[in-house]
Amino acid sequence: MAINWFKYSAPSTFYGLAGKLIPFFVWPAVVLFGIGFYIGFFVAPTDAVQSEAYRIIFIHVPASILSMFIYLIMAGYAALGLIFKTRLSAMMASALAPTGALFAFISLWTGALWGKPMWGAWWVWDARLTSELILLFLYLGFIALQASIEDPRRADRASALLAIVGSVNVPIIYYSVQWWNTLHQGSTIKFSGTSMHIAMQQSMFIMLVACWLYAIAIALSRVRSIILERESNTQWVRELVELKGERV
Amino acid sequence: MNRLSLIDLLWLVIRRDMLLAMRRRADVLTTLIFFVMVASLFPLGVGPEADMLRKMAGGVLWVAALLASMLSLPRMFSADHVDGTLEQIMLAPQSLTVMVLGKIVAHWMLSGLPLVLIAPVLGLQFDMSAAAIWTLMLALLLGTPVLSMIGAVGAALTLGLRGGGVLVSLLVLPLTIPVLIFGTGAVEAVNSGLDAVSNLALLGAFLLFALVFSPFVAAQALRISME
């Protein structure tokens, strides 16, 4: 059976598809979060050096990985939207931004909570911490620009350009910060895990997959809201079954 | 009508912007005074010990220069936008990229270059050595054009928005971090007896990279904002 992929690049058709897809991401995410937390808290052994506090890694590492990946995916959608003028891509980009910012924030927050017992400081100017902070700034800039432009078409295209410029800058910023850090002080903090216990690996991997599924599910449901908001004066939205009887 | 060459066009735009700025000198002076003021506030805040001031001079002057150049960014396109000139410029058959480059160069000459020239005086306030002051000037000479170029993209994206002034800083400041790092790195290298050439070379690389891409990207941003 040939599938016409372009069919789902229209917001009106994608709205229904996204609605059908969301449960396939939400429920596995819930189950995997459960399994991941169980292994992380009860199965994984206590770390020899860091005792119980290391368990924050199971949320910290997936959050950091996702915050970086989501920025790239967001910039990818933004580029698609700018090049092919597809409205849905721009909507996806703006649907992903808050999730990315949230993961960047969680990563910094859990990092601070982890840093206090381990390094004795809530914050150190480590290269990775600093670049994560700058990444959060980039997300906030994207969201702020989008929020301050009223015309949605201009908002989409302007923030898309910003995301692309940002993604070109991300590696430059990352290496600058790393170099700056080595100039100022030797890298004193390294996670010296010679080899991780298998249960730790399992838990972290499961949590990573769960976070991915969560991010996809939340982005899809957010994009549904954005579609409804943008298309609220079209015929197909008025005819939607689930909105019958409500004023749109 | 004879066709303008690109160099003529560039020169025309620069001369026009300079002339307009000379008719309203206060704008240029405000940026400069802001720079001097911010830099002078730091000793008042952290104390007058010469050792400490010498150590932080590079960073303080760079951050002050960064903030001062943010201050003048919203002006890059806004006056032309308000009186309709920008629309006419965009309708012209000439390359928008080159005209944006002209505006960037003019903006730098009016907001970046004065900072480079006044920096030695501030350096003396901070008890910097002669070698460190020279390096600082060189680093600012290479770095401030990059600030104008990255800033041009932000200024074009936020054109005509409410609260554009604060927004443009929010968008541009994270992107200028590499310039700040290597700009202060150069001064720091001289202070600790090392060669500043690697830092300056990287600043030069940023300058070339920004010179190639930013006028084009800023022109695209203007098109998005103006349609």
Side-chain angles (χ1 to χ4, degrees), chain A residues 53-105:
Chain A
Y54 88 94
R55 291 184 198 275
I56 211 161
I57 197 176
F58 299 127
I59 189 73
H60 178 71
V61 171
S64 315
I65 293 175
L66 271 162
S67 66
M68 291 174 213
F69 266 103
I70 288 177
Y71 194 87
L72 290 180
I73 297 168
M74 189 181 87
Y77 273 119
L80 270 183
L82 206 57
I83 295 165
F84 298 110
K85 296 212 163 81
T86 45
R87 284 175 302 156
L88 188 60
S89 318
M91 292 179 195
M92 276 306 284
S94 41
L96 281 165
T99 308
L102 176 72
F103 275 124
F105 179 74

Side-chain angles (χ1 to χ4, degrees), chain B residues 110-164:
Chain B
L110 294 166
S111 71
L113 193 57
L115 304 189
V116 179
L117 297 177
I118 200 93
V121 182
L122 296 174
L124 292 177
Q125 269 194 330
F126 281 78
D127 196 32
M128 289 169 81
S129 67
I133 288 180
W134 278 113
T135 315
L136 175 70
M137 277 185 82
L138 206 57
L140 280 172
L141 196 64
L142 289 168
T144 44
V146 184
L147 303 184
S148 291
M149 287 175 194
I150 302 175
V153 179
L157 284 176
T158 55
L159 193 62
L161 297 181
R162 269 178 294 109

Side-chain angles (χ1 to χ4, degrees), chain A residues 28-206:
Chain A
V30 170
V31 171
L32 286 180
F33 270 128
I35 299 172
F37 275 125
Y38 177 75
I39 299 179
F41 279 116
F42 300 110
V43 180
T46 307
D47 188 79
V49 192
Q50 312 198 6
S51 71
E52 302 295 343
Y54 88 94
R55 291 184 198 275
I56 211 161
I57 197 176
F58 299 127
I59 189 73
H60 178 71
V61 171
S64 315
I65 293 175
L66 271 162
S67 66
M68 291 174 213
F69 266 103
I70 288 177
Y71 194 87
L72 290 180
I73 297 168
M74 189 181 87
Y77 273 119
L80 270 183
L82 206 57
I83 295 165
F84 298 110
K85 296 212 163 81
T86 45
R87 284 175 302 156
L88 188 60
S89 318
M91 292 179 195
M92 276 306 284
S94 41
L96 281 165
T99 308
L102 176 72
F103 275 124
F105 179 74
I106 290 177
S107 161
L108 288 170
W109 186 25
T110 54
L113 289 179
W114 194 8
K116 188 62 184 166
M118 288 309 114
W119 308 332
W122 295 107
W123 179 264
V124 290
W125 289 96
D126 172 64
R128 275 181 298 178
L129 268 75
T130 315
S131 25
E132 189 71 36
L133 182 67
I134 297 167
L135 187 67
L136 179 63
F137 290 159
L138 290 177
Y139 275 121
L140 295 181
F142 181 92
I143 296 171
L145 181 64
Q146 191 135 45
S148 61
I149 305 179
E150 269 164 37
D151 172 23
R153 240 170 65 88
R154 182 184 162 189
D156 281 345
R157 305 190 60 201
S159 50
L161 197 69
L162 183 73
I164 295 166
V165 172
S167 67
V168 171
N169 260 277
V170 160
I172 300 178
I173 293 174
Y174 182 74
Y175 285 107
S176 314
V177 169
Q178 215 160 31
W179 215 52
W180 162 78
N181 186 257
T182 50
L183 270 182
H184 280 238
Q185 56 173 77
S187 187
T188 46
I189 305 108
K190 282 246 164 69
F191 182 68
S192 54
T194 43
S195 63
M196 279 178 93
H197 190 274
I198 187 76
M200 293 184 194
Q201 284 179 22
Q202 277 172 354
S203 171
M204 203 154 80
F205 182 73
I206 291 170

